[in-house]
Amino acid sequence: MAATDTTSYLSETGLKSLIDEISKEASEVKPKDPLQFMQDRLAAVAQKRKGSTISESTPMKKQAVGETRSFTFTAKPHNATFPFEKTALVMIDIQKDFCDPRGFGACLGNDVSTLESILKPCEALLAAWRERGGKIIHTLEAHVPNLSDCPPAKLCGPRTPPEGKRIGDCLTKDMGRILVRGEPGNGLMPTVTAKPGEKVIFKPGKGAFYDTDLHEWLKAEGITHLVFTGVTTEVCVQTTMREANDRGFECALLEDCTASYFPEFKQAAIEMIRAQGGIIGWTAMSNDFISALP
């Protein structure tokens, strides 16, 4: 369709509103050539409304498919628009060490029921995201068996738990060694476990970017936006969100899919993340997020 035909047709069908909509999309996906992006989107919409088809081999079609599946969801401090193909779902440390009543978190005296409460919302979120073919990252706090990636301050410093409850110690026969990769307790909770093709990050620190290949993987996959879930909100989740923010990623946290042993810490972290216009990112509820998915 020629440019004049496109403009003529669209002028009769709401050109201004379409331009406003496409401009908003462009501000989110940041195409290399904004003018070409605008022209291609207008032409694609005109073709669709006239009942025409566009060949899959046409460059314009490929660009439209890759650039236009943006979705807007209710969030705080204001609604957020994310480009689906450039967004990854990040599931932080939903592992037995922290969530299972027999695990490391529980042995330190924490009430793990506050963490178990997010499993059903996370399961529903995973199902919806997988159904649409979205990219997924699972993290586990985990050390190699010889503990060479565990710094002394974390392993046996003055702030560590008593002997028998330290990283590398055998908690029980059922759970194995604490926070050691491959041990029974160092697996994801069964209802949110990773499936083939999903990225699994074993992180030796609180943040998922430290001493892992996460940043390189995200860049290789063309990811610009991250949606966070997991535990605990104020420690590993918030740390990773701040790391991501410093690296230029747009971030959102789903409030009912994250938890802390201390509910007041969770709420404080949420308030910090979305303060000052969203200094670290957005927060939202999973139902609002899922209902907005393309």
Side-chain angles (χ1 to χ4, degrees):
M1 177 179 291
T4 54
D5 292 339
T6 300
T7 304
S8 175
Y9 177 75
L10 290 174
S11 65
E12 301 171 5
T13 55
L15 178 60
K16 184 179 184 304
S17 62
L18 279 170
I19 290 176
D20 290 344
E21 179 182 342
I22 294 168
S23 296
K24 184 177 180 181
E25 289 181 13
S27 70
E28 292 294 331
V29 301
K30 296 179 175 61
K32 292 182 179 179
D33 187 341
L35 180 59
Q36 186 62 49
F37 176 80
M38 179 76 75
Q39 291 174 341
D40 287 348
R41 285 289 287 115
L42 287 170
V45 172
Q47 289 276 20
K48 182 177 180 180
R49 292 192 178 186
K50 292 190 74 174
S52 302
T53 59
I54 303 174
S55 169
E56 289 290 341
S57 62
T58 303
M60 181 189 74
K61 177 64 176 181
K62 289 184 179 179
Q63 183 182 14
V65 170
E67 298 284 3
T68 60
R69 293 183 67 196
S70 295
F71 61 103
T72 300
F73 54 97
T74 301
K76 294 180 179 180
H78 50 75
N79 291 352
T81 300
F82 278 27
F84 183 82
E85 285 78 10
K86 295 183 179 182
T87 299
L89 177 62
V90 187
M91 314 286 286
I92 299 286
D93 297 0
I94 310 179
Q95 61 196 75
K96 297 174 185 176
D97 291 299
F98 302 136
C99 301
D100 192 297
R102 303 167 298 166
F104 178 48
C107 88
L108 297 178
N110 295 302
D111 179 6
V112 300
S113 67
T114 60
L115 272 56
E116 292 173 337
S117 67
I118 72 169
L119 292 178
K120 287 190 180 298
C122 284
E123 186 178 0
L125 174 65
L126 266 178
W129 196 254
R130 284 167 172 159
E131 182 182 359
R132 292 161 175 83
K135 293 182 175 65
I136 300 171
I137 301 159
H138 304 263
T139 77
L140 297 99
E141 186 170 348
H143 295 278
V144 295
N146 66 8
L147 304 181
S148 60
D149 60 354
C150 186
K154 185 178 182 182
L155 183 62
C156 56
R159 295 175 291 106
T160 56
E163 289 188 21
K165 297 182 179 181
R166 293 178 177 176
I167 293 170
D169 290 345
C170 185
L171 186 58
T172 64
K173 182 178 179 181
D174 288 342
M175 300 301 283
R177 297 174 69 202
I178 294 170
L179 294 182
V180 171
R181 188 188 302 190
E183 294 291 320
N186 197 236
L188 296 171
M189 294 296 282
T191 58
V192 293
T193 194
K195 290 189 175 183
E198 297 174 358
K199 179 71 171 174
V200 178
I201 295 282
F202 295 96
K203 61 184 187 65
K206 296 174 177 64
F209 286 86
Y210 170 69
D211 203 19
T212 73
D213 68 345
L214 178 57
H215 196 194
E216 290 72 20
W217 185 86
L218 291 170
K219 289 192 294 184
E221 295 292 324
I223 299 299
T224 57
H225 292 59
L226 300 172
V227 177
F228 284 91
T229 70
V231 304
T232 60
T233 314
E234 77 280 9
V235 184
C236 295
V237 176
Q238 184 179 202
T239 299
T240 304
M241 282 192 73
R242 289 178 179 272
E243 288 180 326
N245 175 266
D246 283 345
R247 288 162 175 79
F249 294 94
E250 294 283 14
C251 302
L253 173 65
L254 300 185
E255 297 181 33
D256 55 329
C257 290
T258 184
S260 168
Y261 298 124
F262 310 97
E264 65 273 24
F265 291 178
K266 169 184 172 176
Q267 190 57 41
I270 288 172
E271 297 294 343
M272 284 187 276
I273 286 165
R274 67 190 182 201
Q276 301 180 70
I279 192 168
I280 304 301
W282 289 270
T283 69
M285 299 301 290
S286 63
N287 284 342
D288 292 330
F289 182 81
I290 292 171
S291 65
L293 291 175

